[in-house]
Amino acid sequence: MNRPSTPLSLQLAALMLRLNGAHSPELERAVHMLCSALDAGHVCVPLTELDQNAERSLRSCAVVGDAGEFKPMILDAGMLYFERYWHHETGLAATLRTRASAQDLKIDEKLLADGLRKYLANADDAQRAAAENAVRRTFSVITGGPGTGKTRTATVVLALIATQLAAQKKTARFALAAPTGKAAARLKDSLSAVLDTLQVPDEVRKILPASASTLHRLLGGSSGSAEFRHNLSNPLPVDVLVVDEASMIDLPMMARLFAALRPDTQVLLLGDADQLASVEAGHVFGDICASGLAGVSQLVRNYRFSEKSSIHRLSQAIRAGNVDAALAELRTSSEDITASELPVSPALPARIVAGFRQYLTLTEPHAALDAFGKFRILCALRDGPSGVSHLNRLAMLALCDAGLLKNDSAYHKGMPLLVTRNDYQLRLFNGDIGLILPNEAGEMRAYFDEETGVRDILPARLPEHETAFAMTVHKAQGSEFDSILLMLPERDSPVLSRELLYTAITRAKTNAEIWWSEPALRAALARRAVRWSGLKARLA
């Protein structure tokens, strides 16, 4: 990894050398490399990536210790960590191993069997087994692609647990959570919709949660602090917890979540292990699913897409790294995929206008936000002719030329915003989407969806943000759109990977338009996104 040094890594390296009391070129290089690794989403650096004699030199440094020592840097299991990340990884691994090895819960077997027959009569064996597994255990995971029934299975699990409680005339505290407000709202709505189809008895349904929250809110995040109100010494008062979009959760957050749970709290994680890993450090969900840990179930059968769906076939070809099958889908016209080879043609601005036209005709905030969420431009890169910055400018120009936007002020009507920095005081987090719209007095406000509805904020108070007609695939994790327009670069880039393409395609529910080049596509399908981490080995 040969990223340039940053001001932070330079200062940190200088601090480590001062604490060490002696100059060490190997230590200085290791600090820079660890900082670069964390920026790239890794948790640690394998010693094989360092110089041949680096390990011996680092072990002689006062600031480098072995597992369990209180030193700024830790050498353990062939990896070099900053102590904080080593602490998160080992703590989480120990907690998950303990949960996975716990005895099954005592339940009414007849009630469980009756419930499985009632609620999953048309499900496949994998879905029934996943539901039964989650009811019996204090820790379970359900992974699968879009449309494989993860949310439906989770809803059945909650209904089955609530049925057991109702029969014993007991109550329990349920919680639903997700990494982002949008994902939390979608989880709540999806569970409610599934419950309506299951015909759950009133005495069971009233036990179940009626709302969902972000993980930050669930744990009691506060402004200006990385710590949470709920932690090891002040556990969450929750008996059953379902967490959706778990692939988006980074190592520090997942470690803090499990540290804040009582040992007897039932936890069900939902996600897609084939998606991109979290934006921040770690590949936690993927490592858990690949570790062989007890309690992990995989759903394969797709209930949303038929075998005739080009989106489904293309996503599966990408997932398998099958270049020929992917090329065949892109070169065959279909109802749900439109593919155009780069370079960009003059038709692109008109396509962008068609995608965004509907939301710009609406003034009611909830309706406008809902309409804006139906279409998005997704990019692999931030810069260049196929990058986010250029596509946002192109969209703005096209919509102004069409008379749908007036870019006449810093915050103009219809301007979409993507928050890029957490603000705990305002309860706005990296990845949240908002719209600038006039309130009843004609004053511009920034409107955001949250778990309980829509709220508005003065634009001047907003944390760091950017225009959101186009966004990176990474930022689109946890979102679903009716239609996407995916812009791939004309040439290969280290950012391109099989996981990035799979994540992008699976954001689309009904239609995907893809601008692509064969060299970039081939390079992406040949590359796997790899995160350096010791979690999988610790769990195995």
Side-chain angles (χ1 to χ4, degrees):
M1 181 174 294
N2 295 313
R3 294 189 174 201
S5 299
T6 64
L8 176 61
S9 67
L10 290 169
Q11 291 294 323
L12 191 55
L15 174 63
M16 290 296 112
L17 290 172
R18 286 199 302 273
L19 293 174
N20 190 51
H23 182 71
S24 167
E26 289 81 8
L27 176 62
E28 188 173 15
R29 281 195 295 271
V31 172
H32 287 306
M33 193 164 185
L34 256 179
C35 288
S36 294
L38 288 173
D39 286 343
H42 303 289
V43 172
C44 53
V45 172
L47 291 175
T48 53
E49 297 290 323
L50 301 173
D51 294 342
Q52 187 174 3
N53 298 318
E55 181 177 2
R56 182 168 51 188
S57 178
L58 288 172
R59 288 195 181 279
S60 68
C61 292
V63 294
V64 180
D66 290 319
E69 290 190 78
F70 191 65
K71 298 286 185 71
M73 301 168 75
I74 299 293
L75 276 170
D76 181 28
M79 303 282 193
L80 178 66
Y81 298 80
F82 285 127
E83 194 278 339
R84 181 163 72 96
Y85 286 89
W86 176 87
H87 179 79
H88 285 321
E89 183 177 278
T90 54
L92 177 62
T95 300
L96 293 179
R97 287 198 309 270
T98 299
R99 283 182 169 273
S101 61
Q103 290 185 341
D104 285 357
L105 300 169
K106 294 180 179 179
I107 58 173
D108 186 317
E109 297 292 344
K110 184 178 185 306
L111 270 182
L112 175 60
D114 290 345
L116 288 170
R117 280 194 297 271
K118 177 181 177 182
Y119 298 135
L120 291 175
N122 299 317
D124 61 7
D125 291 342
Q127 199 172 7
R128 282 190 291 271
E132 181 177 354
N133 179 63
V135 174
R136 294 184 184 279
R137 304 182 64 87
T138 57
F139 172 70
S140 55
V141 175
I142 298 178
T143 179
T148 52
K150 297 188 298 294
T151 305
R152 184 175 185 84
T153 307
T155 309
V156 169
V157 169
L158 292 176
L160 293 172
I161 293 173
T163 300
Q164 298 272 333
L165 293 167
Q168 302 171 44
K169 300 192 182 315
K170 292 182 179 179
T171 60
R173 289 159 293 189
F174 289 76
L176 307 174
T180 67
K182 186 73 173 177
R186 194 171 66 247
L187 173 61
K188 180 197 72 173
D189 292 343
S190 298
L191 283 170
S192 179
V194 174
L195 280 174
D196 290 339
T197 68
L198 293 178
Q199 299 180 330
V200 175
D202 290 341
E203 66 270 19
V204 172
R205 185 159 186 166
K206 70 181 181 182
I207 302 175
L208 298 177
S211 62
S213 72
T214 61
L215 289 172
H216 283 89
R217 174 179 271 186
L218 178 75
L219 294 175
S222 60
S223 177
S225 174
E227 300 306 315
F228 295 99
R229 184 171 70 254
H230 293 292
N231 49 42
L232 187 62
S233 59
N234 180 30
L236 272 166
V238 170
D239 300 298
V240 182
L241 172 65
V242 174
V243 181
D244 198 12
E245 299 293 350
S247 64
M248 297 175 64
I249 305 175
D250 58 46
L251 174 63
M253 175 58 83
M254 192 74 88
R256 289 182 173 117
L257 171 64
F258 276 89
L261 296 175
R262 300 193 318 261
D264 62 340
T265 299
Q266 278 187 269
V267 187
L268 170 57
L269 302 181
L270 308 174
D272 186 348
D274 293 312
Q275 282 190 31
L276 282 167
S278 55
V279 175
E280 304 297 335
H283 185 212
V284 181
F285 190 73
D287 285 345
I288 292 172
C289 293
S291 67
L293 199 67
V296 177
S297 303
Q298 183 173 16
L299 304 182
V300 177
R301 178 182 171 187
N302 200 288
Y303 294 87
R304 179 186 301 173
F305 298 108
S306 70
E307 291 300 318
K308 296 179 180 179
S309 166
S310 294
I311 290 177
H312 178 60
R313 291 198 303 267
L314 177 59
S315 67
Q316 294 309 299
I318 291 170
R319 180 173 174 266
N322 189 330
V323 176
D324 291 338
L327 287 172
E329 291 296 335
L330 290 172
R331 287 172 172 156
T332 304
S333 59
S334 66
E335 291 184 3
D336 51 350
I337 286 186
T338 304
S340 303
E341 289 201 55
L342 293 168
V344 168
S345 78
L348 182 58
R351 174 66 187 94
I352 292 173
V353 169
F356 289 119
R357 180 182 295 277
Q358 183 190 3
Y359 97 87
L360 289 167
T361 65
L362 303 171
T363 56
E364 196 280 317
H366 181 75
L369 282 163
D370 183 63
F372 180 69
K374 294 183 182 301
F375 172 73
R376 198 61 41 87
I377 304 169
L378 302 183
C379 304
L381 307 178
R382 290 201 59 81
D383 301 314
S386 297
V388 168
S389 299
H390 176 72
L391 267 296
N392 270 320
R393 289 193 297 269
L394 180 63
M396 182 71 74
L397 288 171
L399 292 167
C400 286
D401 288 345
L404 294 169
L405 270 185
K406 290 184 179 179
N407 187 10
D408 53 3
S409 64
Y411 295 102
H412 51 84
K413 177 184 173 183
M415 178 181 177
L417 305 171
L418 172 68
V419 175
T420 58
R421 183 182 291 271
N422 294 342
D423 188 315
Y424 296 96
Q425 188 173 2
L426 290 175
R427 303 194 317 276
L428 290 176
F429 302 101
N430 190 356
D432 285 352
I433 296 288
L435 284 179
I436 299 293
L437 293 168
N439 61 13
E440 292 180 355
E443 300 164 332
M444 293 300 174
R445 293 287 189 272
Y447 288 89
F448 292 86
D449 266 327
E450 59 179 11
E451 304 96 288
T452 56
V454 176
R455 64 189 175 104
D456 65 292
I457 295 170
L458 280 169
R461 296 188 63 202
L462 288 170
E464 290 182 23
H465 57 275
E466 59 189 35
T467 308
F469 293 113
M471 59 200 300
T472 62
V473 176
H474 252 118
K475 293 285 188 182
Q477 281 181 273
S479 298
E480 287 183 339
F481 311 100
D482 288 353
S483 302
I484 64 162
L485 191 159
L486 173 62
M487 294 295 301
L488 297 177
E490 203 163 353
R491 299 181 183 86
D492 183 25
S493 164
V495 171
L496 291 176
S497 68
R498 192 183 303 180
E499 289 80 3
L500 182 138
L501 293 188
Y502 174 81
T503 303
I505 295 300
T506 54
R507 298 311 89 204
K509 292 192 288 186
T510 58
N511 181 267
E513 180 166 346
I514 305 163
W515 292 75
W516 63 288
S517 73
E518 185 172 335
L521 183 78
R522 287 185 176 277
L525 293 186
R527 182 181 293 119
R528 301 301 304 262
V530 176
R531 290 274 176 98
W532 293 330
S533 160
L535 182 61
K536 178 183 172 182
R538 295 183 196 279
L539 293 175

